[in-house]
Amino acid sequence: MILSGGRAKFAISRHTIPIFPEYLGFSKIIKNLPIHPIIQLDLKLLPRNIFFVSKLELKIRKLEKEIRYHQYLYYVKNRTEISDKEFDLLFKQLQELERDNPDLSSPNSPTQSVGSDLDNRFEKVTHKVPVLSLENTYNAGELQDWIDKIGKEETYSIEWKIDGASIVLYYEAGGLDKGVSRGTGGIGDDVTENIRTIKNISLQLDDSISIYLRGEVYMTFSDFAQLNKQTGGKYANPRNLASGTLKHKNSKQVAKRPLKIFTYDAYFPKEPEGIDTHQKLIDYMKKYGFPIPNDIKFVKGSEVISLIKEYEKKKEKLGFPVDGLVIKLNNLSLRKSLGQTSHSPRWARAYKFDALTVESVVEEIDFAIGRTGKVTPRAKITPVQLAGTTVTYATLHNQDYINSKGIGIGAKVKVVKRGEIIPAIEEVVKKGKKVFRLPKKCPMCSSILQKKDDSVDLYCTNPTCPGREKNQLAFFCQKKQMDIAGLGEKQVYNLYDLKFIKRIPDIYHLSQYKDDLIQLDGYGEKSVKILLDGIEKSKKNDLKVILPSLGLPEIGHKVTEILIDNGFTDIKSLLQLASSSDAKEKLMLLHGLGPKTIDSVVQNFTDKNVIGMIQELQKVGLQFKAKVVKKQGKQVFSGQTWCVTGSFQKFQPRERAMEIIVAHGGKRVSGISSNTTHLLAGTGSGSKLKKAEEYGVKIMEESEFYSFIVKEGLL
Ligand code: IVH
């Protein structure tokens, strides 16, 4: 228990630990304090912000923090550092500790909610029905106990647990009104525009019913394999790519990615008659053509376990990712009487499949130094076959991860393929020599490694570290960035090692060394031509591509788009902005930029080295200008500044409306400010509409806008 005022009177015992509240949950426990019941501490000597917590409370707070961290990685960052099973284990551990120590459980504990996928770039929508999660088990015995408690003779559905991103589809009077992410379960992100691009759901139903569907946005394995090449292999599995795409800000891009939806449950503002079982509900959904996964079965409680094995075998042939099964009670009125917790219903359980594992031995530990300087340790393991591929490396992430698993050289480990793609160490079966400690100095350049802010990762801060330079170059040339043919990662590393390139501008001087390049091992006239043509072609890229390719912290594609949308269409205007005395205030007015991004924009665009590099690139012919939408015909929107919000019937994606405005003289911005003259408001306009009203901005709805452009002959 935290004792406020604990400084003054609390008796220190062997079971209590002094801790700074700002570090609560971390291991920054003050060292060297004489903690022993018989030692009288002079409390006046202690810093003011010190409290005493019991070791048990510390354990609970640490678990809460750890779970929140992994939820954030999973739901917001779309990546993972631990397997689902490890996460579920942490979750169970916390649930049990809270059950046994209710006085130590916090109302804000992650066990009391469903996590959060909220992203401040989206409008918020309040869900009409709480969007709950599921209680998990990996154990058939536990599942049977749950069934026995409810009733073996009851009917249960068995259905696939699709591994994607949770979504709620709100159909009003037969039309798809909104698609909303699960969010916190109470409030979700409005992702309607993205959902409208998904081809296997209807935007308009045959009847004018109102129905709210729960479902999962997912991607098939084959679509993932194809698409992930284009995203530079950024996503480890189809779930992460589907979830990342769902939160893409540009629905035109989303339309190019083959997302699909499965629906598995429905709610109604006014319930239709006669639907008293899940089976009838599913039939009703099927009648309206909603996509329901095959294989849904309705069986007696006594038959569930034997069927599970059959499903497990079928899983491999499905073609889309599932991480288990969901078992649901069929009788809807019985469901109601069982009720739910703030996290999950009592009438359903997820039975999760164990991931494939195989044993191997850690032979060595080496490091990858990313372009940002992040040091990622990797375990080189004795090669083993796992799910059809030979695994030679497993990621170790950081020191905390290594410590938590107790990984050392020589350790016998269980290797798991998470989400089917990236191998990781699930557990140490037999300890190695000792737990591995990351070096204090960069293995590439010997600079002292440092931690950044709150991060658990170590960074090399030397900007000329070969590890960083190589990866900065490789990043610049990637398909998703400048897309330079002939300069894949391998070639970049090779040309770097041979000292042909060191900094980004060097790429554009390679043509001077054409003859030397032709002589290199693995090169020839043809491949050098491809390379030099690729470099030449890359000069045509505009600001939208060049800026994110520089790999400046925080300044990726999204931020670049926001800057361009707000009129910073060339580098000159950006450099001017960054060097002005009120740069931060001006940037704060742009919708969608957080404080960290604002700091980075100001810092990088006033940095001599960055400016120098930009000037060098300009000299070799790169145009730091955004392609401007061609002005067409009448400039009826000239002098006007438009912002758009909500979703539209006739303009999908809504960018189409903005293109018309820009082509006919208007300026577009992504947020409302005193300079905004018009707001084009679709359905589901939230905070922007309110702000527009406050600022007295002219608000135009879709129908009015449409009639106007038709009248003006702009279509
Ligand atoms: S039922 C109150 N059924 O799994 C109903 N969920 O880990 C709770 N999921 O948030 C959900 N397939 O995103 C249900 N057939 C299925 C599912 C399913 C995938 C997801 C869903 C949920 C998560 C819980």
Side-chain angles (χ1 to χ4, degrees):
M1 177 172 34
I2 298 180
L3 295 183
S4 43
R7 276 191 83 242
K9 290 194 189 80
F10 190 63
I12 297 162
S13 81
R14 219 173 310 160
H15 305 291
T16 59
I17 292 177
I19 186 167
F20 288 111
E22 60 265 42
Y23 291 136
L24 204 61
F26 276 104
S27 53
K28 289 218 174 175
I29 296 158
I30 312 162
K31 297 223 175 85
N32 309 324
L33 277 175
I35 309 161
H36 193 276
I38 54 166
I39 293 175
Q40 283 294 305
L41 264 183
D42 184 350
L43 293 165
K44 279 190 236 88
L45 295 178
L46 288 175
R48 277 193 184 285
N49 55 355
I50 194 170
F51 291 88
F52 297 93
V53 291
S54 70
K55 284 182 183 169
L56 184 61
E57 174 163 16
L58 188 61
K59 190 170 172 188
I60 292 177
R61 300 290 164 258
K62 269 172 102 173
L63 263 174
E64 285 174 7
K65 189 152 187 160
E66 210 177 333
I67 290 170
R68 269 194 216 104
Y69 170 70
H70 292 298
Q71 281 179 326
Y72 170 73
L73 283 187
Y74 184 82
Y75 291 119
V76 181
K77 292 290 184 194
N78 298 311
R79 62 185 184 86
T80 49
E81 283 180 4
I82 57 173
S83 67
D84 277 12
K85 193 168 185 182
E86 289 162 289
F87 177 84
D88 292 336
L89 219 82
L90 290 176
F91 202 87
K92 266 224 160 98
Q93 219 179 323
L94 181 59
Q95 273 178 327
E96 276 164 22
L97 282 170
E98 287 174 342
R99 193 195 52 211
D100 297 342
N101 305 280
D103 55 326
L104 294 184
S105 69
S106 142
N108 302 324
S109 163
T111 59
Q112 303 306 306
S113 66
V114 297
S116 168
D117 64 47
L118 292 184
D119 176 328
N120 63 11
R121 297 167 309 135
F122 289 88
E123 308 262 335
K124 302 291 164 264
V125 176
T126 304
H127 283 297
K128 299 201 192 274
V129 179
V131 187
L132 298 180
S133 185
L134 289 167
E135 183 101 3
N136 290 327
T137 180
Y138 290 81
N139 183 308
E142 260 180 37
L143 183 66
Q144 190 63 60
D145 288 349
W146 170 74
I147 291 171
D148 291 349
K149 243 189 236 160
I150 293 178
K152 247 194 271 201
E153 287 313 307
E154 289 299 328
T155 303
Y156 296 81
S157 67
I158 306 184
E159 54 195 70
W160 293 116
K161 185 172 182 305
I162 322 295
D163 198 9
S166 206
I167 189 77
V168 186
L169 306 175
Y170 290 98
Y171 283 88
E172 300 286 1
L176 176 67
D177 181 41
K178 274 193 179 62
V180 185
S181 78
R182 186 171 79 178
T184 60
I187 294 168
D189 280 339
D190 185 343
V191 287
T192 313
E193 282 180 67
N194 293 347
I195 290 298
R196 284 184 186 281
T197 68
I198 299 179
K199 302 199 177 50
N200 77 328
I201 49 155
S202 316
L203 300 181
Q204 190 64 48
L205 307 176
D206 291 341
D207 285 349
S208 75
I209 55 161
S210 293
I211 182 168
Y212 312 146
L213 296 149
R214 277 206 64 178
E216 199 83 354
V217 173
Y218 71 99
M219 197 175 276
T220 63
F221 284 117
S222 58
D223 284 337
F224 169 72
Q226 235 179 37
L227 198 73
N228 204 34
K229 280 189 211 137
Q230 294 161 32
T231 57
K234 185 174 146 197
Y235 295 99
N237 54 46
R239 190 243 56 123
N240 290 357
L241 180 51
S243 173
T245 304
L246 186 65
K247 294 291 182 80
H248 206 298
K249 260 320 249 179
N250 184 345
S251 51
K252 260 190 197 163
Q253 295 301 324
V254 177
K256 290 184 196 159
R257 296 184 180 182
L259 290 181
K260 290 196 170 69
I261 290 189
F262 271 131
T263 55
Y264 50 75
D265 211 347
Y267 305 87
F268 303 89
K270 197 170 157 272
E271 259 179 54
E273 279 193 12
I275 299 187
D276 53 5
T277 63
H278 186 49
Q279 189 162 14
K280 286 183 189 161
L281 179 65
I282 293 289
D283 288 341
Y284 181 90
M285 287 160 68
K286 278 186 182 161
K287 198 177 87 190
Y288 281 98
F290 294 120
I292 313 271
N294 287 337
D295 305 324
I296 180 162
K297 279 199 171 116
F298 294 88
V299 296
K300 287 268 171 291
S302 48
E303 297 162 40
V304 171
I305 304 295
S306 57
L307 277 168
I308 279 177
K309 299 278 168 264
E310 281 180 30
Y311 275 94
E312 213 156 354
K313 270 188 228 143
K314 263 195 208 166
K315 176 196 160 196
E316 305 308 324
K317 299 191 185 96
L318 281 179
F320 57 84
V322 296
D323 57 345
L325 296 166
V326 187
I327 321 298
K328 296 174 183 166
L329 181 63
N330 194 30
N331 182 324
L332 299 187
S333 62
L334 239 177
R335 277 191 188 183
K336 247 189 207 137
S337 62
L338 284 169
Q340 59 199 41
T341 69
S342 51
H343 173 264
S344 46
R346 294 195 183 89
W347 44 260
R349 279 290 180 281
Y351 173 80
K352 295 191 54 177
F353 299 138
D354 265 327
L356 289 173
T357 59
V358 66
E359 281 186 7
S360 181
V361 173
V362 176
E363 292 182 346
E364 259 177 60
I365 292 177
D366 67 11
F367 310 91
I369 318 285
R371 69 186 167 85
T372 59
K374 187 173 152 191
V375 179
T376 309
R378 303 183 307 172
K380 188 169 184 300
I381 56 168
T382 311
V384 275
Q385 286 295 312
L386 184 58
T389 53
T390 310
V391 182
T392 44
Y393 277 101
T395 177
L396 296 179
H397 302 290
N398 50 51
Q399 188 68 60
D400 281 13
Y401 181 86
I402 295 173
N403 293 349
S404 70
K405 306 254 175 197
I407 299 165
I409 293 171
K412 194 169 179 195
V413 291
K414 221 184 232 177
V415 182
V416 59
K417 268 198 148 189
R418 250 175 232 161
E420 325 290 340
I421 313 289
I422 293 184
I425 290 176
E426 174 114 319
E427 64 178 279
V428 170
V429 182
K430 202 170 153 222
K431 279 189 181 155
K433 281 180 206 144
K434 54 180 181 208
V435 174
F436 185 79
R437 293 228 45 93
L438 257 68
K440 297 219 165 3
K441 288 183 178 172
C442 173
M444 285 280 190
C445 69
S446 301
S447 310
I448 301 287
L449 297 177
Q450 287 174 15
K451 278 195 179 181
K452 269 191 197 166
D453 308 324
D454 227 7
S455 164
V456 288
D457 301 309
L458 278 177
Y459 286 83
C460 170
T461 54
N462 170 15
T464 58
C465 167
R468 294 186 62 179
E469 285 185 334
K470 266 187 194 182
N471 284 311
Q472 260 155 11
L473 287 164
F475 178 78
F476 182 82
C477 301
Q478 259 177 27
K479 207 167 177 61
K480 207 183 157 198
Q481 311 298 339
M482 295 296 274
D483 189 15
I484 305 184
L487 274 181
E489 191 178 82
K490 233 165 108 186
Q491 290 87 345
V492 168
Y493 286 2
N494 189 24
L495 292 178
Y496 182 93
D497 291 339
L498 294 168
K499 302 206 172 7
F500 278 95
I501 48 176
K502 182 169 166 65
R503 298 168 56 249
I504 291 170
D506 298 339
I507 295 171
Y508 294 93
H509 298 297
L510 274 175
S511 55
Q512 296 169 17
Y513 307 103
K514 188 176 171 189
D515 296 339
D516 302 316
L517 289 171
I518 291 172
Q519 300 306 319
L520 292 180
D521 249 9
Y523 283 83
E525 291 228 13
K526 213 169 151 196
S527 48
V528 170
K529 184 174 179 334
I530 293 175
L531 170 75
L532 296 180
D533 285 353
I535 293 171
E536 201 51 35
K537 195 175 144 219
S538 77
K539 290 183 184 168
K540 293 205 178 81
N541 282 322
D542 76 337
L543 189 68
K544 228 180 196 164
V545 179
I546 303 174
L547 212 52
S549 306
L550 298 179
L552 304 171
E554 300 283 320
I555 308 175
H557 290 278
K558 277 175 214 145
V559 170
T560 302
E561 258 175 48
I562 293 175
L563 292 169
I564 292 174
D565 282 352
N566 283 283
F568 299 101
T569 52
D570 60 16
I571 197 70
K572 204 170 143 200
S573 59
L574 274 173
L575 296 178
Q576 259 169 8
L577 165 81
S579 62
S580 65
S581 56
D582 55 351
K584 289 195 180 173
E585 287 76 10
K586 282 181 189 152
L587 284 162
M588 254 152 32
L589 294 175
L590 312 189
H591 185 72
L593 300 187
K596 228 169 138 185
T597 310
I598 291 174
D599 281 350
S600 178
V601 170
V602 174
Q603 196 196 322
N604 279 293
F605 293 135
T606 50
D607 182 310
K608 265 196 248 143
N609 292 325
V610 175
I611 297 173
M613 177 171 69
I614 291 172
Q615 285 167 344
E616 278 180 71
L617 289 171
Q618 281 176 315
K619 259 193 213 148
V620 293
L622 265 70
Q623 304 285 320
F624 282 78
K625 274 195 181 126
K627 272 188 200 122
V628 188
V629 180
K630 269 205 192 128
K631 301 269 179 225
Q632 296 167 359
K634 286 193 222 169
Q635 298 294 293
V636 290
F637 298 114
S638 129
Q640 299 176 2
T641 303
W642 285 71
C643 179
V644 62
T645 184
S647 50
F648 297 82
Q649 293 281 324
K650 295 201 167 66
F651 305 100
Q652 283 177 34
R654 64 187 188 190
E655 295 309 305
R656 301 237 165 92
M658 287 323 246
E659 276 166 15
I660 295 173
I661 292 170
V662 174
H664 296 93
K667 193 176 148 198
R668 69 160 298 178
V669 286
S670 51
I672 304 281
S673 73
S674 53
N675 298 326
T676 318
T677 58
H678 291 73
L679 175 72
L680 179 57
T683 48
S685 310
S687 57
K688 278 189 191 157
L689 189 60
K690 241 169 114 189
K691 209 163 170 192
E693 280 163 359
E694 278 164 30
Y695 277 93
V697 169
K698 180 166 172 45
I699 297 162
M700 228 191 228
E701 285 181 2
E702 181 172 9
S703 54
E704 194 188 345
F705 178 74
Y706 187 75
S707 322
F708 177 77
I709 57 174
V710 169
K711 194 180 98 215
E712 293 289 334
L714 310 183
L715 266 186

